[in-house]
Amino acid sequence: MTLLLVTIAVFVLNLPFGYWRESTRKFSLQWILAIHLPVPFVIAMRYLSGLGWQFYTYPFLIGAFFLGQYAGVLISRRRTAKLFPVSGCLVMDVWHGRTTQ
Protein backbone atom coordinates (compact mmCIF):
# COMPACT_ATOMS: atom_id res chain seq x y z
CA MET A 1 0.00 0.00 0.00
CA THR A 2 2.85 2.38 0.82
CA LEU A 3 4.47 1.73 -2.55
CA LEU A 4 1.23 2.62 -4.33
CA LEU A 5 0.83 5.89 -2.41
CA VAL A 6 4.44 6.94 -2.96
CA THR A 7 4.16 6.05 -6.67
CA ILE A 8 1.07 8.24 -7.02
CA ALA A 9 2.78 11.06 -5.11
CA VAL A 10 5.84 10.87 -7.38
CA PHE A 11 3.60 10.99 -10.46
CA VAL A 12 1.67 14.03 -9.20
CA LEU A 13 4.86 15.78 -8.05
CA ASN A 14 6.34 15.53 -11.54
CA LEU A 15 3.36 16.97 -13.44
CA PRO A 16 4.28 20.64 -12.96
CA PHE A 17 7.94 19.94 -13.64
CA GLY A 18 7.11 18.30 -16.98
CA TYR A 19 4.86 21.25 -17.78
CA TRP A 20 7.71 23.63 -16.99
CA ARG A 21 10.23 21.58 -18.97
CA GLU A 22 8.11 21.76 -22.12
CA SER A 23 8.11 25.58 -22.13
CA THR A 24 11.89 25.97 -21.81
CA ARG A 25 14.70 25.70 -24.32
CA LYS A 26 16.18 22.20 -24.48
CA PHE A 27 19.38 21.69 -22.45
CA SER A 28 19.06 25.11 -20.81
CA LEU A 29 19.47 25.56 -17.07
CA GLN A 30 15.69 25.65 -16.55
CA TRP A 31 15.26 22.46 -18.58
CA ILE A 32 17.89 20.67 -16.48
CA LEU A 33 16.35 21.98 -13.24
CA ALA A 34 12.87 20.83 -14.30
CA ILE A 35 14.21 17.30 -14.59
CA HIS A 36 16.45 17.22 -11.53
CA LEU A 37 14.67 19.33 -8.89
CA PRO A 38 12.09 16.63 -8.05
CA VAL A 39 14.80 14.01 -7.36
CA PRO A 40 15.55 15.11 -3.76
CA PHE A 41 11.83 15.08 -3.00
CA VAL A 42 11.49 11.55 -4.36
CA ILE A 43 14.44 10.46 -2.25
CA ALA A 44 12.86 12.11 0.81
CA MET A 45 9.55 10.35 0.12
CA ARG A 46 11.33 7.01 -0.09
CA TYR A 47 13.10 7.65 3.18
CA LEU A 48 10.10 9.05 5.10
CA SER A 49 7.70 6.36 3.89
CA GLY A 50 10.03 3.58 4.97
CA LEU A 51 10.24 2.03 1.50
CA GLY A 52 13.98 1.93 1.61
CA TRP A 53 15.96 0.99 -1.48
CA GLN A 54 14.59 -2.45 -2.38
CA PHE A 55 15.08 -3.32 -6.03
CA TYR A 56 11.40 -4.02 -6.70
CA THR A 57 10.51 -0.37 -5.97
CA TYR A 58 12.67 1.06 -8.75
CA PRO A 59 10.43 0.21 -11.74
CA PHE A 60 7.40 1.75 -10.01
CA LEU A 61 9.04 4.97 -8.90
CA ILE A 62 11.18 5.55 -11.98
CA GLY A 63 8.15 4.81 -14.16
CA ALA A 64 6.02 7.25 -12.15
CA PHE A 65 8.77 9.87 -12.43
CA PHE A 66 8.97 9.69 -16.20
CA LEU A 67 5.23 9.28 -16.73
CA GLY A 68 4.57 12.32 -14.55
CA GLN A 69 7.06 14.37 -16.55
CA TYR A 70 5.56 13.12 -19.82
CA ALA A 71 2.00 13.85 -18.69
CA GLY A 72 3.06 17.40 -17.81
CA VAL A 73 4.52 17.79 -21.30
CA LEU A 74 1.28 16.52 -22.85
CA ILE A 75 -0.79 18.98 -20.81
CA SER A 76 1.43 21.83 -21.98
CA ARG A 77 1.34 20.74 -25.61
CA ARG A 78 -2.43 20.32 -25.62
CA ARG A 79 -2.95 23.83 -24.32
CA THR A 80 -0.34 25.35 -26.62
CA ALA A 81 -1.85 23.61 -29.64
CA LYS A 82 -5.21 25.23 -28.89
CA LEU A 83 -3.51 28.64 -28.67
CA PHE A 84 -4.12 29.13 -24.98
CA PRO A 85 -1.51 31.31 -23.34
CA VAL A 86 0.75 29.20 -21.15
CA SER A 87 3.41 30.55 -18.86
CA GLY A 88 5.47 27.49 -18.02
CA CYS A 89 4.05 27.20 -14.51
CA LEU A 90 1.15 24.77 -14.25
CA VAL A 91 0.07 26.08 -10.85
CA MET A 92 -0.19 29.68 -12.05
CA ASP A 93 -1.91 28.70 -15.30
CA VAL A 94 -4.55 26.78 -13.34
CA TRP A 95 -4.89 29.66 -10.87
CA HIS A 96 -5.55 32.12 -13.69
CA GLY A 97 -7.84 29.75 -15.55
CA ARG A 98 -5.59 29.37 -18.58
CA THR A 99 -5.87 25.60 -18.73
CA THR A 100 -9.66 25.52 -18.81
CA GLN A 101 -11.71 26.06 -21.91
Side-chain angles (χ1 to χ4, degrees):
M1 184 64 174
T2 303
L3 179 60
L4 179 64
L5 293 175
V6 172
T7 302
I8 292 169
V10 168
F11 176 80
V12 171
L13 173 73
N14 278 286
L15 284 172
F17 288 101
Y19 191 87
W20 178 31
R21 183 174 58 113
E22 178 63 18
S23 65
T24 60
R25 190 173 45 91
K26 197 170 192 177
F27 301 117
S28 66
L29 178 62
Q30 288 183 339
W31 187 83
I32 292 170
L33 287 174
I35 294 171
H36 292 93
L37 275 178
V39 172
F41 296 106
V42 173
I43 291 170
M45 279 192 279
R46 289 181 78 105
Y47 178 72
L48 294 174
S49 69
L51 275 180
W53 302 99
Q54 291 87 9
F55 183 71
Y56 70 89
T57 62
Y58 283 94
F60 291 100
L61 297 181
I62 291 173
F65 189 93
F66 287 113
L67 286 174
Q69 290 264 333
Y70 184 66
V73 167
L74 290 179
I75 292 169
S76 178
R77 283 184 187 167
R78 191 173 105 213
R79 293 300 165 196
T80 305
K82 291 186 176 185
L83 300 176
F84 282 95
V86 292
S87 67
C89 179
L90 180 61
V91 176
M92 292 308 294
D93 285 348
V94 169
W95 180 265
H96 293 293
R98 292 180 180 153
T99 60
T100 58
Q101 292 184 353

